Amino acid sequence: MLGARCSRSVGFVAALAAFGCQTRGSAIAPEAAGAGPAANPGPSVVAPAGTGVPVAVLELFTSEGCSSCPAADENLARITEEADKVGLRVFTLELHVDYWNHLGWADPFSDARYSLRQGAYAKQLGAQGVYTPQLLVNGREELVGSDSARSRAAIARALQTPASAAVSFTARRHDAAIDVEYRVSATQAVDLNVAFADDAAQTHVPRGENADRLLLHRHVVRAFRSVRVGGAATGRVSVPWRTAGTSTPVFVAAFASDPGTLAVLGADARLLPAE
């Protein structure tokens, strides 16, 4: 846990718009490996992408058990909303870690796998340890997630860096699952990561460091899958998902990363509407 002041930067949209508003895809949803095709496939949407088109993938490692994290969650939500307004290719994800669950409140969105992912970044970046709230931008830069000015500066740098991999996919809901069919084009083997997230969520926390607070979230990751693929590959990722009776919009993000450095090489995302 790390305390930090959240200073809002009102010039974010104007600053990033100067780099050109790239058309944004919609998003993805949770878990993993290869189910067969649906007998009656539902509607799907193709997310256009191409090598060279800059993108910023933001991974916020956060926890509802951490008193410093709500400011970071709010910062990520503002970034999400501001980027959506102008169509920037800024794809945000909230990954809730589990190592603060002993502080009186077990985060219902937490997963030990997200803690392990954060640990892998720490090792690659040469950090002494992990903390929350921590924001990773394209797997290359890390900073305190509530630092509005630094996060926007990192996004601006990311959107000046051409992508070296092209990622595109279709996503469709059927029965109690979401299927993603992807296409990757890169000059090297990559890890294709697919994150499935609730577009929005909220929790009234009764105990712990955030007791009696209503916490609001955007793009809360509920499932995450990674598969190693060659430089040019197609495939499928399929994950169980909630039934239509409890359906909410699902944000899906697919991004290719370098297996050695964990740097993001290309990405796309889309939003699947509630059923």
Side-chain angles (χ1 to χ4, degrees), residues 163-233:
S164 57
V167 177
S168 61
F169 65 88
T170 63
R172 62 188 178 189
R173 303 171 85 149
H174 69 92
D175 300 326
I178 297 176
D179 289 338
V180 170
E181 295 188 3
Y182 63 81
R183 180 181 298 274
V184 178
S185 178
T187 58
Q188 63 176 83
V190 300
D191 287 335
L192 180 69
N193 308 291
V194 184
F196 301 82
D198 287 337
D199 181 54
Q202 65 180 40
T203 304
H204 180 267
V205 179
R207 299 179 301 279
E209 293 195 353
N210 290 312
D212 298 323
R213 296 189 64 173
L214 179 65
L215 304 183
L216 306 178
H217 306 290
R218 291 297 308 276
H219 297 176
V220 184
V221 177
R222 308 305 300 274
F224 193 97
R225 294 297 182 269
S226 295
V227 58
R228 183 72 52 84
V229 301

Coordinates of all heavy atoms in Angstrom, one line a residue, residues 163-233:
A163 N 3.2 0.8 -32.8 CA 3.0 -0.6 -32.4 C 3.8 -1.5 -33.4 O 4.0 -1.1 -34.6 CB 1.6 -1.0 -32.5
S164 N 4.4 -2.5 -32.8 CA 5.2 -3.5 -33.7 C 4.5 -4.8 -33.9 O 5.0 -5.7 -34.5 CB 6.5 -3.7 -33.0 OG 6.4 -4.3 -31.7
A165 N 3.2 -4.9 -33.4 CA 2.4 -6.1 -33.7 C 1.0 -5.6 -34.0 O 0.5 -4.6 -33.4 CB 2.4 -7.0 -32.5
A166 N 0.3 -6.3 -34.8 CA -1.1 -6.1 -35.1 C -2.0 -7.1 -34.4 O -1.7 -8.3 -34.5 CB -1.4 -6.1 -36.6
V167 N -3.0 -6.7 -33.7 CA -3.9 -7.6 -33.0 C -5.3 -7.2 -33.5 O -5.7 -6.1 -33.4 CB -3.8 -7.5 -31.5 CG1 -4.8 -8.4 -30.8 CG2 -2.4 -7.8 -31.0
S168 N -6.1 -8.2 -33.9 CA -7.5 -8.0 -34.2 C -8.3 -9.2 -33.7 O -7.7 -10.3 -33.5 CB -7.7 -7.8 -35.7 OG -7.3 -8.9 -36.4
F169 N -9.6 -9.0 -33.5 CA -10.4 -10.2 -33.0 C -11.8 -9.9 -33.2 O -12.3 -8.8 -33.4 CB -10.1 -10.4 -31.5 CG -10.6 -9.3 -30.6 CD1 -11.9 -9.2 -30.1 CD2 -9.7 -8.3 -30.2 CE1 -12.3 -8.2 -29.3 CE2 -10.1 -7.3 -29.4 CZ -11.4 -7.2 -28.9
T170 N -12.6 -11.0 -33.1 CA -14.0 -10.9 -33.0 C -14.4 -11.5 -31.7 O -13.7 -12.3 -31.1 CB -14.8 -11.7 -34.1 OG1 -14.5 -13.1 -34.0 CG2 -14.4 -11.3 -35.5
A171 N -15.5 -11.0 -31.1 CA -15.9 -11.5 -29.8 C -17.4 -11.6 -29.8 O -18.1 -10.8 -30.4 CB -15.5 -10.5 -28.7
R172 N -17.9 -12.7 -29.3 CA -19.3 -13.0 -29.3 C -19.7 -13.7 -28.0 O -19.0 -14.5 -27.4 CB -19.8 -13.8 -30.5 CG -19.1 -15.2 -30.6 CD -19.4 -15.8 -31.9 NE -18.8 -17.2 -32.0 CZ -18.8 -17.9 -33.1 NH1 -19.3 -17.4 -34.2 NH2 -18.2 -19.1 -33.1
R173 N -20.9 -13.4 -27.5 CA -21.5 -14.1 -26.4 C -22.5 -15.1 -26.8 O -23.2 -14.9 -27.8 CB -22.2 -13.1 -25.5 CG -21.4 -11.9 -25.0 CD -22.2 -10.8 -24.3 NE -22.4 -11.1 -22.9 CZ -22.5 -10.2 -22.0 NH1 -22.5 -8.9 -22.3 NH2 -22.7 -10.5 -20.7
H174 N -22.4 -16.3 -26.2 CA -23.4 -17.3 -26.4 C -23.6 -18.2 -25.2 O -22.6 -18.5 -24.5 CB -23.0 -18.2 -27.7 CG -21.9 -19.0 -27.4 ND1 -21.9 -20.3 -27.0 CD2 -20.5 -18.8 -27.6 CE1 -20.7 -20.8 -26.9 NE2 -19.9 -19.9 -27.2
D175 N -24.8 -18.5 -24.9 CA -25.1 -19.3 -23.7 C -24.4 -18.6 -22.5 O -24.7 -17.5 -22.2 CB -24.6 -20.7 -23.9 CG -25.3 -21.4 -25.0 OD1 -26.5 -21.1 -25.3 OD2 -24.6 -22.3 -25.7
A176 N -23.6 -19.3 -21.8 CA -22.9 -18.7 -20.6 C -21.4 -18.6 -20.9 O -20.6 -18.9 -20.0 CB -23.2 -19.5 -19.4
A177 N -21.0 -18.1 -22.0 CA -19.6 -18.0 -22.4 C -19.4 -16.9 -23.3 O -20.3 -16.3 -23.9 CB -19.1 -19.3 -23.0
I178 N -18.1 -16.5 -23.4 CA -17.7 -15.5 -24.4 C -16.6 -16.1 -25.2 O -15.6 -16.7 -24.7 CB -17.2 -14.2 -23.8 CG1 -18.4 -13.5 -23.0 CG2 -16.7 -13.2 -24.8 CD1 -18.0 -12.3 -22.3
D179 N -16.7 -16.1 -26.5 CA -15.7 -16.6 -27.4 C -15.0 -15.4 -28.1 O -15.6 -14.5 -28.6 CB -16.3 -17.5 -28.5 CG -16.8 -18.8 -28.0 OD1 -16.3 -19.2 -26.9 OD2 -17.7 -19.4 -28.7
V180 N -13.6 -15.5 -28.2 CA -12.8 -14.5 -28.8 C -12.0 -15.3 -29.9 O -11.3 -16.2 -29.6 CB -11.9 -13.8 -27.9 CG1 -10.8 -13.0 -28.6 CG2 -12.7 -12.9 -26.9
E181 N -12.1 -14.9 -31.1 CA -11.3 -15.4 -32.2 C -10.3 -14.3 -32.6 O -10.7 -13.2 -33.0 CB -12.2 -15.9 -33.4 CG -13.1 -17.0 -33.0 CD -13.8 -17.6 -34.2 OE1 -13.5 -17.2 -35.3 OE2 -14.6 -18.6 -34.0
Y182 N -9.0 -14.6 -32.5 CA -8.0 -13.6 -32.7 C -7.1 -13.8 -33.9 O -7.0 -14.9 -34.4 CB -7.2 -13.5 -31.4 CG -6.4 -14.7 -31.1 CD1 -5.2 -15.0 -31.7 CD2 -6.9 -15.6 -30.1 CE1 -4.5 -16.2 -31.4 CE2 -6.2 -16.8 -29.8 CZ -5.0 -17.0 -30.5 OH -4.3 -18.2 -30.2
R183 N -6.5 -12.7 -34.3 CA -5.5 -12.8 -35.4 C -4.3 -11.9 -34.9 O -4.5 -10.7 -34.5 CB -6.0 -12.3 -36.7 CG -5.0 -12.3 -37.8 CD -5.6 -11.8 -39.1 NE -6.7 -12.7 -39.6 CZ -6.5 -13.8 -40.3 NH1 -5.3 -14.1 -40.7 NH2 -7.6 -14.5 -40.6
V184 N -3.1 -12.4 -34.9 CA -1.9 -11.7 -34.5 C -0.9 -11.7 -35.6 O -0.7 -12.7 -36.3 CB -1.3 -12.3 -33.2 CG1 0.0 -11.5 -32.9 CG2 -2.3 -12.3 -32.1
S185 N -0.3 -10.5 -35.9 CA 0.8 -10.4 -36.9 C 1.9 -9.7 -36.2 O 1.8 -8.5 -35.8 CB 0.3 -9.7 -38.1 OG 1.3 -9.5 -39.0
A186 N 3.1 -10.4 -36.1 CA 4.2 -9.8 -35.4 C 5.5 -10.4 -36.0 O 5.4 -11.4 -36.7 CB 4.2 -10.0 -33.9
T187 N 6.6 -9.7 -35.8 CA 7.9 -10.2 -36.3 C 8.6 -11.2 -35.4 O 9.7 -11.6 -35.6 CB 8.8 -9.0 -36.6 OG1 9.0 -8.3 -35.4 CG2 8.2 -8.1 -37.6
Q188 N 7.9 -11.6 -34.3 CA 8.5 -12.5 -33.3 C 7.3 -13.2 -32.6 O 6.2 -12.9 -32.7 CB 9.2 -11.6 -32.2 CG 8.3 -10.7 -31.5 CD 9.0 -9.9 -30.3 OE1 9.6 -8.9 -30.6 NE2 8.9 -10.4 -29.1
A189 N 7.7 -14.2 -31.8 CA 6.7 -14.9 -30.9 C 6.3 -13.9 -29.9 O 7.1 -13.1 -29.4 CB 7.3 -16.1 -30.3
V190 N 5.0 -13.9 -29.5 CA 4.4 -13.0 -28.5 C 3.5 -13.7 -27.6 O 3.1 -14.8 -27.9 CB 3.6 -11.8 -29.2 CG1 4.5 -11.0 -30.1 CG2 2.4 -12.4 -29.9
D191 N 3.3 -13.1 -26.4 CA 2.2 -13.6 -25.5 C 1.0 -12.8 -25.8 O 1.0 -11.6 -25.7 CB 2.6 -13.4 -24.1 CG 3.7 -14.4 -23.6 OD1 3.7 -15.5 -24.2 OD2 4.4 -14.1 -22.7
L192 N -0.1 -13.5 -26.3 CA -1.4 -12.8 -26.5 C -2.2 -12.9 -25.2 O -2.5 -13.9 -24.7 CB -2.2 -13.4 -27.6 CG -3.5 -12.7 -27.9 CD1 -3.3 -11.3 -28.4 CD2 -4.4 -13.5 -28.7
N193 N -2.4 -11.7 -24.6 CA -3.2 -11.6 -23.4 C -4.6 -11.1 -23.7 O -4.8 -10.2 -24.4 CB -2.5 -10.6 -22.4 CG -1.1 -10.9 -22.2 OD1 -0.7 -11.9 -21.6 ND2 -0.2 -10.0 -22.8
V194 N -5.6 -11.8 -23.1 CA -7.0 -11.4 -23.3 C -7.6 -11.2 -21.9 O -7.6 -12.1 -21.1 CB -7.8 -12.5 -24.1 CG1 -9.2 -12.0 -24.3 CG2 -7.1 -12.8 -25.4
A195 N -8.0 -10.0 -21.7 CA -8.7 -9.6 -20.4 C -10.1 -9.4 -20.6 O -10.6 -8.7 -21.5 CB -8.0 -8.4 -19.9
F196 N -10.9 -10.0 -19.7 CA -12.4 -9.9 -19.7 C -12.8 -9.1 -18.5 O -12.5 -9.5 -17.4 CB -13.1 -11.2 -19.8 CG -12.7 -12.1 -20.9 CD1 -11.5 -12.8 -20.9 CD2 -13.5 -12.2 -22.1 CE1 -11.1 -13.6 -22.0 CE2 -13.1 -13.0 -23.1 CZ -11.9 -13.7 -23.1
A197 N -13.5 -8.0 -18.7 CA -13.8 -7.1 -17.5 C -15.2 -6.6 -17.5 O -15.8 -6.4 -18.6 CB -12.8 -5.9 -17.6
D198 N -15.8 -6.5 -16.3 CA -17.0 -5.7 -16.2 C -16.7 -4.3 -16.6 O -15.8 -3.7 -16.1 CB -17.5 -5.8 -14.7 CG -18.1 -7.2 -14.3 OD1 -18.4 -7.9 -15.2 OD2 -18.1 -7.4 -13.1
D199 N -17.6 -3.7 -17.4 CA -17.4 -2.4 -17.9 C -17.4 -1.4 -16.7 O -16.7 -0.5 -16.6 CB -18.5 -2.0 -18.9 CG -18.3 -0.6 -19.4 OD1 -17.2 -0.2 -19.8 OD2 -19.2 0.2 -19.3
A200 N -18.3 -1.7 -15.7 CA -18.4 -0.9 -14.5 C -18.9 -1.7 -13.4 O -19.6 -2.7 -13.6 CB -19.4 0.3 -14.7
A201 N -18.5 -1.4 -12.2 CA -18.9 -2.1 -11.0 C -18.8 -1.2 -9.8 O -18.1 -0.2 -9.8 CB -18.0 -3.3 -10.8
Q202 N -19.5 -1.6 -8.7 CA -19.4 -0.8 -7.5 C -19.5 -1.7 -6.3 O -20.2 -2.8 -6.4 CB -20.4 0.3 -7.4 CG -21.9 -0.2 -7.4 CD -22.9 1.0 -7.3 OE1 -22.7 2.0 -8.0 NE2 -23.9 0.8 -6.5
T203 N -18.9 -1.3 -5.2 CA -19.0 -2.1 -3.9 C -19.2 -1.2 -2.8 O -18.5 -0.2 -2.6 CB -17.7 -2.9 -3.7 OG1 -17.5 -3.8 -4.8 CG2 -17.8 -3.8 -2.5
H204 N -20.1 -1.5 -1.9 CA -20.2 -0.8 -0.6 C -19.4 -1.6 0.4 O -19.7 -2.8 0.7 CB -21.6 -0.6 -0.1 CG -21.7 0.1 1.2 ND1 -21.7 -0.6 2.4 CD2 -21.7 1.4 1.5 CE1 -21.7 0.2 3.4 NE2 -21.7 1.5 2.9
V205 N -18.3 -1.1 0.9 CA -17.3 -1.8 1.7 C -17.7 -1.7 3.2 O -17.7 -0.5 3.7 CB -15.9 -1.3 1.5 CG1 -14.9 -2.1 2.4 CG2 -15.5 -1.5 0.0
P206 N -18.1 -2.7 3.9 CA -18.5 -2.6 5.3 C -17.4 -2.6 6.3 O -17.6 -2.2 7.4 CB -19.4 -3.8 5.4 CG -18.8 -4.9 4.5 CD -18.3 -4.1 3.3
R207 N -16.2 -3.1 5.9 CA -15.1 -3.3 6.9 C -13.8 -2.9 6.3 O -13.7 -2.7 5.1 CB -15.1 -4.7 7.4 CG -16.3 -5.2 8.0 CD -16.2 -6.7 8.5 NE -15.9 -7.6 7.3 CZ -16.8 -8.0 6.5 NH1 -18.1 -7.7 6.7 NH2 -16.5 -8.8 5.5
G208 N -12.8 -2.9 7.1 CA -11.4 -2.7 6.6 C -11.1 -1.2 6.4 O -11.8 -0.3 6.9
E209 N -10.0 -0.9 5.7 CA -9.5 0.5 5.6 C -10.5 1.4 4.8 O -10.4 2.6 5.0 CB -8.1 0.5 4.9 CG -7.0 -0.2 5.7 CD -5.7 0.1 5.2 OE1 -5.6 0.7 4.1 OE2 -4.7 -0.2 5.9
N210 N -11.4 0.8 4.0 CA -12.3 1.6 3.2 C -13.7 1.4 3.8 O -14.7 1.6 3.0 CB -12.3 1.2 1.8 CG -11.0 1.7 1.1 OD1 -10.6 2.8 1.3 ND2 -10.3 0.8 0.4
A211 N -13.9 1.1 5.1 CA -15.2 0.9 5.7 C -16.1 2.0 5.4 O -15.8 3.2 5.5 CB -15.0 0.6 7.2
D212 N -17.4 1.7 5.1 CA -18.5 2.6 4.8 C -18.3 3.4 3.6 O -19.0 4.4 3.4 CB -18.7 3.5 6.0 CG -19.0 2.8 7.3 OD1 -19.8 1.8 7.2 OD2 -18.5 3.1 8.4
R213 N -17.4 3.1 2.7 CA -17.2 3.8 1.4 C -17.9 3.0 0.3 O -17.9 1.8 0.3 CB -15.7 4.0 1.1 CG -15.0 4.8 2.1 CD -13.6 5.2 1.6 NE -13.6 6.0 0.4 CZ -12.6 6.5 -0.2 NH1 -11.4 6.4 0.4 NH2 -12.6 7.3 -1.3
L214 N -18.4 3.8 -0.7 CA -18.9 3.2 -1.9 C -17.8 3.3 -2.9 O -17.5 4.5 -3.3 CB -20.2 3.9 -2.4 CG -20.8 3.4 -3.7 CD1 -21.3 1.9 -3.5 CD2 -22.0 4.3 -4.2
L215 N -17.3 2.2 -3.4 CA -16.2 2.3 -4.3 C -16.7 2.0 -5.7 O -17.4 1.0 -6.0 CB -15.1 1.2 -3.9 CG -14.6 1.4 -2.5 CD1 -13.5 0.3 -2.3 CD2 -14.0 2.8 -2.3
L216 N -16.3 2.9 -6.7 CA -16.7 2.8 -8.1 C -15.5 2.3 -8.9 O -14.4 2.8 -8.7 CB -17.3 4.1 -8.5 CG -18.4 4.7 -7.7 CD1 -18.8 6.0 -8.3 CD2 -19.6 3.7 -7.6
H217 N -15.8 1.4 -9.9 CA -14.7 0.9 -10.7 C -15.1 0.9 -12.2 O -16.3 0.8 -12.5 CB -14.4 -0.6 -10.3 CG -14.2 -0.8 -8.8 ND1 -13.0 -0.4 -8.2 CD2 -14.9 -1.4 -7.9 CE1 -13.1 -0.7 -6.9 NE2 -14.2 -1.3 -6.7
R218 N -14.1 0.9 -13.0 CA -14.2 0.7 -14.4 C -13.3 -0.4 -14.9 O -12.2 -0.4 -14.5 CB -13.9 2.0 -15.2 CG -14.9 3.2 -15.0 CD -16.3 2.8 -15.5 NE -16.3 2.4 -16.9 CZ -16.4 3.2 -18.0 NH1 -16.3 4.5 -17.8 NH2 -16.5 2.6 -19.2
H219 N -13.8 -1.2 -15.8 CA -13.0 -2.2 -16.5 C -12.3 -3.2 -15.5 O -11.1 -3.4 -15.5 CB -12.0 -1.6 -17.4 CG -12.6 -0.9 -18.6 ND1 -11.9 -0.2 -19.5 CD2 -13.9 -0.7 -18.9 CE1 -12.7 0.4 -20.3 NE2 -13.9 0.1 -20.0
V220 N -13.2 -3.7 -14.5 CA -12.7 -4.6 -13.5 C -12.5 -6.0 -14.1 O -13.4 -6.6 -14.6 CB -13.6 -4.7 -12.3 CG1 -13.1 -5.6 -11.2 CG2 -14.0 -3.3 -11.8
V221 N -11.2 -6.4 -14.2 CA -10.9 -7.7 -14.8 C -11.5 -8.9 -14.0 O -11.2 -9.0 -12.8 CB -9.4 -7.9 -15.1 CG1 -9.1 -9.2 -15.7 CG2 -8.9 -6.7 -16.0
R222 N -12.3 -9.7 -14.7 CA -12.8 -10.9 -14.0 C -12.2 -12.2 -14.5 O -12.4 -13.2 -13.9 CB -14.4 -10.9 -14.2 CG -15.1 -9.6 -13.8 CD -14.7 -9.2 -12.4 NE -15.2 -10.2 -11.4 CZ -16.4 -10.3 -10.9 NH1 -17.3 -9.4 -11.3 NH2 -16.7 -11.2 -10.0
A223 N -11.5 -12.1 -15.6 CA -10.8 -13.3 -16.2 C -9.7 -12.8 -17.1 O -9.8 -11.7 -17.7 CB -11.8 -14.2 -16.9
F224 N -8.7 -13.6 -17.1 CA -7.5 -13.2 -17.9 C -6.8 -14.4 -18.4 O -6.6 -15.4 -17.7 CB -6.5 -12.4 -16.9 CG -5.4 -11.7 -17.6 CD1 -5.5 -10.3 -17.9 CD2 -4.2 -12.4 -18.0 CE1 -4.4 -9.7 -18.5 CE2 -3.2 -11.7 -18.6 CZ -3.3 -10.3 -18.9
R225 N -6.5 -14.4 -19.7 CA -5.9 -15.6 -20.4 C -4.7 -15.1 -21.2 O -4.7 -14.1 -21.8 CB -6.9 -16.3 -21.2 CG -8.0 -17.0 -20.5 CD -7.5 -18.0 -19.5 NE -8.5 -18.7 -18.8 CZ -9.0 -18.3 -17.6 NH1 -8.5 -17.2 -17.1 NH2 -9.9 -19.0 -17.0
S226 N -3.7 -15.9 -21.2 CA -2.5 -15.6 -22.0 C -2.1 -16.9 -22.7 O -2.2 -18.0 -22.2 CB -1.3 -15.2 -21.1 OG -1.5 -14.0 -20.4
V227 N -1.7 -16.7 -24.0 CA -1.3 -17.8 -24.8 C -0.1 -17.4 -25.7 O 0.0 -16.3 -26.2 CB -2.4 -18.3 -25.7 CG1 -3.0 -17.2 -26.6 CG2 -2.0 -19.5 -26.5
R228 N 0.9 -18.2 -25.7 CA 2.1 -17.9 -26.5 C 1.8 -18.3 -28.0 O 1.4 -19.4 -28.3 CB 3.3 -18.7 -26.0 CG 4.7 -18.5 -26.7 CD 5.3 -17.2 -26.4 NE 5.4 -16.9 -25.0 CZ 6.4 -17.3 -24.2 NH1 7.4 -18.1 -24.7 NH2 6.4 -17.0 -22.9
V229 N 2.0 -17.3 -28.9 CA 1.8 -17.6 -30.3 C 3.0 -17.2 -31.1 O 3.8 -16.3 -30.7 CB 0.5 -16.8 -30.8 CG1 -0.7 -17.2 -30.0 CG2 0.7 -15.3 -30.7
G230 N 3.1 -17.7 -32.3 CA 4.1 -17.3 -33.2 C 3.9 -15.9 -33.8 O 2.9 -15.3 -33.5
G231 N 4.8 -15.5 -34.7 CA 4.7 -14.2 -35.3 C 3.4 -13.9 -36.0 O 2.9 -12.8 -36.0
A232 N 2.9 -14.9 -36.7 CA 1.6 -14.8 -37.4 C 0.7 -16.0 -37.0 O 1.1 -17.1 -37.2 CB 1.8 -14.8 -38.9
A233 N -0.4 -15.7 -36.3 CA -1.2 -16.7 -35.8 C -2.7 -16.3 -35.7 O -3.0 -15.1 -35.6 CB -0.7 -17.1 -34.4

